[in-house]
């Protein structure tokens, strides 16, 4: 049996392949036949390039159906897909391309000048462009290739994708996901969330990370269900398309903004059967307000780049209820344990380190065997770096509520991670950019609570007096604006601090480690 993930999707395509697979926000319609032919042409192009076995295809383009087809074609041709956030700047892309050594890089036409220089400097043989208006050299080259392609046979353990996820050291790690990792998780979610062939997925997530590319897209593809495809969250499109949809996935920011729209009500959701939230903690306030406004209870779940989905609140009420403030129970086939610092199992209600095991857990970090070994226990459990508990209580304005013993609640992260608007932000990476700036002695980056984004990035900076980048030269507001403006040219916008505070020194413990908990108390409000 062919373990190629595309072969699994293809086996679930609807009998009527002239049915609509993707409808776009600007009224384009792609059938399942269109998907099959487009992915065949792109796969034939990739094969014609005579790429080495296991070649990586790195992609940084805006969201479009053609971008999804490129992902599927890469799988179909037996290569490894490497999605890159569209907000990444040159210094970030330089690292990813240098580390992954892709044979093919695909970027937007607007970025071709600098991306191609980076790619060729690192030995990439082929650079193509792909834009969200169905133009670019990739599609032009693929047009002349046949629209039939026999999906390459892949083994369970063959790589399907590499997703980069930064670590607390600031050095990004490439999580290697196999065809089995992705297929097992897609099949589990298909059953657990009750996917149906007549579902309509409103897809407003980006497709460069797990949530939009794997969880959402895989769900619809495996069900043979239609997707309504929009570039990003847009309330006018929510109001237009949600009444025709049955499933929507989003980050908490989406639901906050929906609740801010007076015209969004239960009638807008009249056909909906499932709202899913993930990638960041969902505030109980949002959970309760959404249910009160619409009558729908958001399903919150928990996953990682290294594992796809791990834990989920139930879809089926017969299995259990959806409890705000929790991420639910371990998915079928996935094992989760909570242990203390000595690796002893924690009692119910006791907070500890979350470790997981299952067919969805990644193969390891790209070219980092030591880091891979460090993140797995001797008995094969992956250390997530998250802190949580089974059972216990959820405390809200309505009082304390007991949580069933098999439900997981995430209470924090042992890894120094900020999640802002659903995107992972690693402080050490940002600190390294700030510390390089003239006039900056050192810095510390923290996350502070933010109603819309979950957490906001804040930088605390110690300056070097007398330099051109001195606060005295610009004034406090000018110093902050200059530092933020400089960062916006170097890193993705979601990583750029929303505030910069200047201090004479950073608080440290007796071992010299910066006490970020003290900084969060001091600068915890924007």
């Amino acid at each position: 049996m062919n373990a190629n993930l595309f072969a699994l999707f293809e086996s679930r395509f609807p009998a009527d392949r002239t049915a609509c697979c993707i409808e776009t926000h600007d009224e384009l319609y792609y059938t399942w036949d269109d998907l099959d032919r487009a992915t065949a042409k792109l796969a034939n192009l990739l094969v014609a390039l005579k790429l080495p076995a296991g070649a990586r295809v790195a992609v940084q383009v805006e969201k479009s159906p053609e971008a999804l087809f490129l992902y599927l074609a890469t799988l179909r041709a037996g290569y490894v897909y490497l999605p890159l956030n569209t907000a990444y700047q040159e210094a970030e892309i330089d690292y990813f391309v240098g580390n992954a050594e892709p044979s093919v890089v695909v970027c937007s036409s607007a970025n071709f000048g600098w991306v191609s220089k980076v790619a060729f400097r690192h030995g990439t043989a082929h650079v193509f462009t792909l834009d969200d208006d169905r133009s670019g050299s990739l599609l032009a080259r693929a047009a002349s290739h046949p629209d039939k392609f026999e999906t390459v046979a892949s083994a369970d353990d063959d790589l399907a994708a590499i997703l980069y996820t930064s670590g607390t050291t600031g050095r990004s790690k490439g999580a290697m996901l196999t065809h089995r990792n992705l297929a097992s998780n897609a099949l589990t979610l298909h059953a657990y969330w009750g996917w149906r062939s007549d579902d309509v997925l409103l897809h407003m997530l980006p497709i460069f990370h797990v949530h939009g590319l794997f969880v959402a897209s895989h769900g619809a593809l495996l069900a043979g269900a239609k997707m309504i495809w929009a570039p990003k969250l847009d309330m006018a499109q929510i109001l237009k398309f949600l009444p025709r949809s049955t499933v929507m996935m989003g980050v908490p920011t989406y639901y906050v903004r929906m609740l801010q729209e007076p015209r969004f009500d239960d009638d807008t959701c009249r056909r909906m059967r499932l709202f899913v939230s993930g990638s960041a903690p969902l505030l109980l306030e949002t959970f309760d307000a959404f249910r009160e406004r619409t009558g729908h209870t958001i399903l919150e779940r928990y996953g990682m780049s290294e594992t796809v989905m791990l834990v989920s609140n139930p879809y089926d009420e017969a299995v259990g209820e959806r409890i705000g403030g929790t991420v639910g129970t371990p998915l079928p086939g996935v094992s989760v344990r909570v242990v203390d610092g000595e690796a002893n199992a924690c009692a119910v209600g006791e907070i500890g380190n979350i470790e997981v095991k299952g067919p969805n857990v990644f193969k390891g970090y790209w070219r980092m065997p030591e880091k891979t070994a460090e993140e797995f226990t001797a008995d094969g459990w992956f250390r997530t770096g998250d802190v949580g508990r089974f059972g216990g209580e959820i405390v809200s304005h309505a009082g304390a509520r007991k949580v069933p013993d098999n439900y997981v609640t995430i209470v924090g992260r042992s890894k120094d991670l900020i999640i802002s608007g659903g995107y992972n932000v690693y402080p050490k990476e940002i600190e390294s950019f700030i510390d390089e700036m003239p006039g900056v002695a050192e810095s510390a980056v923290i996350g502070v609570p933010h109603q819309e984004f979950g957490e906001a990035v804040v930088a605390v900076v110690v300056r070097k007096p007398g330099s051109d980048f001195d606060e005295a030269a610009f004034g406090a507001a000018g110093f902050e604006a200059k530092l933020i403006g400089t960062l916006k040219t170097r890193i993705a916008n979601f990583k750029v601090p929303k505030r910069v505070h200047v201090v004479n020194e950073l608080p440290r413990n007796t071992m010299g480690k910066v006490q970020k908990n003290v900084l969060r108390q001091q600068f915890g409000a924007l």
Side-chain angles (χ1 to χ4, degrees):
M1 179 179 175
N2 188 357
N4 190 304
L5 181 61
F6 184 87
L8 173 62
F9 294 147
E10 192 174 25
S11 71
R12 302 295 187 93
F13 286 178
D16 180 10
R17 294 200 178 190
T18 65
C20 184
C21 172
I22 299 175
E23 175 186 346
T24 69
H25 69 291
D26 50 357
E27 300 183 346
L28 296 176
Y29 296 83
Y30 296 79
T31 68
W32 293 89
D33 271 337
D34 291 333
L35 182 153
D36 181 49
R37 288 193 294 266
T39 57
K41 283 178 172 287
L42 289 165
N44 276 311
L45 168 60
L46 294 175
V47 169
L49 298 176
K50 301 189 183 304
L51 308 179
R56 278 76 62 200
V57 178
V59 180
Q60 189 197 32
V61 299
E62 296 297 333
K63 181 180 178 181
S64 69
E66 288 74 21
L68 179 67
F69 298 161
L70 174 57
Y71 160 60
L72 297 174
T74 302
L75 297 177
R76 195 172 186 181
Y79 300 120
V80 182
Y81 191 74
L82 173 57
L84 295 170
N85 192 318
T86 52
Y88 286 148
Q89 300 293 316
E90 184 170 350
E92 297 157 306
I93 297 298
D94 183 76
Y95 172 76
F96 297 131
V97 173
N99 184 252
E101 294 183 324
S103 297
V104 177
V105 169
V106 184
C107 64
S108 65
S109 297
N111 293 339
F112 178 77
W114 64 265
V115 171
S116 61
K117 290 178 182 177
V118 169
F120 293 142
R121 183 166 66 245
H122 288 291
T124 299
H126 309 280
V127 180
F128 297 101
T129 59
L130 175 62
D131 296 317
D132 56 4
D133 61 356
R134 305 179 308 287
S135 65
S137 62
L138 181 78
L139 299 181
R141 284 284 299 276
S144 61
H145 286 272
D147 62 0
K148 302 293 183 185
F149 185 85
E150 184 174 348
T151 300
V152 169
S154 299
D156 279 339
D157 205 39
D158 287 345
L159 284 190
I162 297 176
L163 269 67
Y164 274 91
T165 174
S166 298
T168 56
T169 63
R171 184 183 178 192
S172 297
K173 309 182 299 292
M176 299 186 292
L177 294 165
T178 67
H179 287 270
R180 178 175 183 249
N181 293 151
L182 297 177
S184 66
N185 209 242
L187 288 166
T188 295
L189 293 176
H190 175 81
Y192 198 72
W193 288 351
W195 275 98
R196 307 189 306 246
S197 60
D198 62 348
D199 270 326
V200 178
L201 170 68
L202 180 53
H203 196 309
M204 289 191 163
L205 290 162
I207 57 170
F208 47 70
H209 63 34
V210 164
H211 198 172
L213 184 61
F214 297 156
V215 181
S217 301
H218 287 183
L221 291 168
L222 197 57
K226 176 182 175 178
M227 288 182 270
I228 296 178
W229 199 260
K232 60 183 179 180
L233 176 69
D234 181 282
M235 280 312 305
Q237 292 173 10
I238 286 273
L239 295 171
K240 176 181 179 180
F241 292 121
L242 203 58
R244 297 168 44 200
S245 304
T246 63
V247 179
M248 177 180 167
M249 299 184 191
V251 300
T253 304
Y254 286 21
Y255 296 107
V256 170
R257 292 184 180 176
M258 290 161 73
L259 288 169
Q260 291 171 348
E261 170 55 61
R263 293 173 294 173
F264 174 71
D265 56 20
D266 57 347
D267 186 60
T268 313
C269 310
R270 55 185 175 270
R271 290 194 62 214
M272 290 295 298
R273 69 170 185 85
L274 180 61
F275 288 98
V276 177
S277 180
S279 301
L282 180 72
L283 295 178
L284 265 174
E285 178 185 355
T286 305
F287 179 88
D288 292 337
F290 196 89
R291 181 163 53 188
E292 183 177 347
R293 173 85 68 90
T294 68
H296 288 272
T297 303
I298 297 172
L299 183 153
E300 191 170 10
R301 84 301 179 279
Y302 163 58
M304 303 177 67
S305 297
E306 292 92 338
T307 64
V308 202
M309 292 302 100
L310 294 164
V311 174
S312 172
N313 272 273
Y315 167 68
D316 185 352
E317 292 181 356
V319 175
E321 63 176 316
R322 300 173 206 168
I323 301 176
T326 80
V327 289
T329 62
L331 288 167
V334 177
S335 299
V336 177
R337 70 185 186 187
V338 179
V339 299
D340 62 20
E342 303 300 321
N344 300 309
C346 291
V348 170
E350 183 181 353
I351 293 172
N353 300 308
I354 297 174
E355 298 178 350
V356 300
K357 182 187 282 190
N360 54 308
V361 176
F362 75 134
K363 189 173 184 176
Y365 292 115
W366 174 256
R367 293 178 175 171
M368 299 178 78
E370 298 85 2
K371 186 63 178 174
T372 299
E374 180 184 326
E375 297 297 334
F376 282 87
T377 65
D379 54 349
W381 292 72
F382 174 61
R383 298 182 173 101
T384 65
D386 290 313
V387 177
R389 65 172 182 263
F390 278 105
E393 289 184 336
I394 294 293
V395 180
S396 69
H397 59 85
R401 175 183 177 179
K402 175 133 184 8
V403 175
D405 291 351
N406 61 335
Y407 276 61
V408 177
T409 301
I410 308 296
V411 299
R413 290 177 293 278
S414 59
K415 295 178 180 177
D416 196 9
L417 172 68
I418 301 166
I419 299 181
S420 182
Y423 296 137
N424 289 356
V425 179
Y426 295 89
K428 185 65 179 178
E429 180 187 21
I430 304 170
E431 289 162 5
S432 68
F433 282 100
I434 296 175
D435 292 347
E436 291 175 359
M437 294 182 182
V440 173
E442 61 177 338
S443 65
V445 171
I446 58 173
V448 303
H450 190 282
Q451 183 175 7
E452 185 171 341
F453 296 105
E455 289 182 294
V457 180
V458 168
V460 183
V461 174
V462 177
R463 58 186 173 84
K464 293 178 181 176
S467 72
D468 290 340
F469 211 48
D470 190 349
E471 180 186 7
F474 296 92
F479 176 86
E480 180 179 30
K482 186 171 180 63
L483 189 147
I484 289 174
T486 301
L487 284 175
K488 284 184 175 180
T489 68
R490 303 201 65 192
I491 60 176
N493 195 56
F494 66 85
K495 300 179 185 177
V496 175
K498 296 194 178 300
R499 286 297 310 274
V500 176
H501 300 282
V502 178
V503 297
N504 292 327
E505 61 180 6
L506 297 175
R508 283 182 159 82
N509 62 19
T510 55
M511 299 299 291
K513 184 176 180 179
V514 175
Q515 295 176 297
K516 290 193 173 182
N517 60 319
V518 174
L519 294 176
R520 291 188 191 97
Q521 291 172 5
Q522 186 174 357
F523 302 110
L526 286 180

